[in-house]
């Protein structure tokens, strides 16, 4: 992941939903970044140093099992954030996060994230809402895993990824 000189000009629904003055206060703490496909965002058991607000990138949240198997349990795009566990006082990441679809995201240091939560109530409300949405989506994913065929699950994944990336085309690599 690398930083860019560009300033935040919109694209993350959580940030864009804020009232203009609150949005400006939050945006002042953001650094624009670019994520490459399969690059690590946050590794399980590492200290969470920042929250990520995807713009046209999509991150996969992964559960790693004791035997070494790894499973995607959620994907997060422009509708939400990565590192929301900071809201609940988490210091280390409970799951690994990697870039699934390359693109841009805004990064906010953990200290600034906590400050914005305390000083900007609309931001705190938007973060709560985004995390609730992620929670519901993860539960829906579990149900779909058991209720639908592989083809149906792939179609759902493609549609969710399209919405999360917010662009008509993105690279899909099947391995």
């Amino acid at each position: 992941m690398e930083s860019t000189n560009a300033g935040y000009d919109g694209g993350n629904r959580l940030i864009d939903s804020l009232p203009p003055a609150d949005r400006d206060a939050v945006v002042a703490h953001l650094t624009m970044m670019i994520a490459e496909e399969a690059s690590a965002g946050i590794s399980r058991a590492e200290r969470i140093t920042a929250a990520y607000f995807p713009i046209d990138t999509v991150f996969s949240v992964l559960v790693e099992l004791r035997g070494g198997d790894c499973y995607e349990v959620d994907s997060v795009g422009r509708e939400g954030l990565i590192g929301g566990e900071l809201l609940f006082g988490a210091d280390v990441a409970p799951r690994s996060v990697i870039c699934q679809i390359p693109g841009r995201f805004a990064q906010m240091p953990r200290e600034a994230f906590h400050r914005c939560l305390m000083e900007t109530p609309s931001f705190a409300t938007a973060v709560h809402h985004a995390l609730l949405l992620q929670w519901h989506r993860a539960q829906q994913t579990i149900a779909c895993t058991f209720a639908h065929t592989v083809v149906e699950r792939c179609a759902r994944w493609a549609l969710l990824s399209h919405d999360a990336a917010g662009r008509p085309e993105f690279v899909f690599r099947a391995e």
Side-chain angles (χ1 to χ4, degrees):
M1 290 191 251
E2 61 185 65
S3 65
T4 71
N5 290 329
Y8 180 83
D9 63 352
N12 179 275
R13 290 180 177 163
L14 185 158
I15 294 170
D16 295 346
S17 72
L18 302 174
D22 292 350
R23 182 180 176 275
D24 291 345
V26 168
V27 167
H29 298 284
L30 299 176
T31 301
M32 292 305 299
M33 305 288 288
I34 297 175
E36 300 295 326
E37 183 179 15
S39 60
I42 299 172
S43 295
R44 184 178 59 81
E46 279 189 358
R47 186 170 193 266
I48 304 171
T49 60
Y52 302 160
F53 299 89
I55 295 169
D56 61 2
T57 191
V58 178
F59 289 101
S60 288
V61 180
L62 308 174
V63 169
E64 301 159 56
L65 300 180
R66 199 171 302 165
D69 291 337
C70 189
Y71 298 94
E72 180 186 70
V73 294
D74 197 10
S75 61
V76 180
R78 64 187 176 144
E79 75 287 347
L81 76 154
I82 294 294
E85 299 91 347
L86 291 170
L87 174 72
F88 305 109
D91 189 47
V92 297
R95 307 280 179 247
S96 292
V97 177
I98 64 166
C99 176
Q100 179 183 109
I101 297 174
R104 299 171 300 135
F105 68 98
Q107 178 177 287
M108 178 185 286
R110 69 182 286 134
E111 296 78 15
F113 183 78
H114 286 297
R115 192 167 40 258
C116 286
L117 286 171
M118 291 177 35
E119 296 174 359
T120 313
S122 65
F123 178 68
T125 299
V127 167
H128 279 95
H129 179 74
L131 293 175
L132 185 61
L133 176 65
Q134 282 177 237
W135 183 52
H136 286 286
R137 190 177 52 240
Q139 291 175 341
Q140 187 69 38
T141 298
I142 292 167
C144 288
T145 298
F146 294 103
H148 301 298
T149 66
V150 170
V151 171
E152 291 168 326
R153 292 192 316 261
C154 286
R156 179 179 183 269
W157 179 89
L159 289 170
L160 287 172
S161 295
H162 175 268
D163 290 346
R167 48 189 159 137
E169 296 180 11
F170 54 87
V171 177
F172 173 70
R173 215 173 54 173
E175 293 183 13

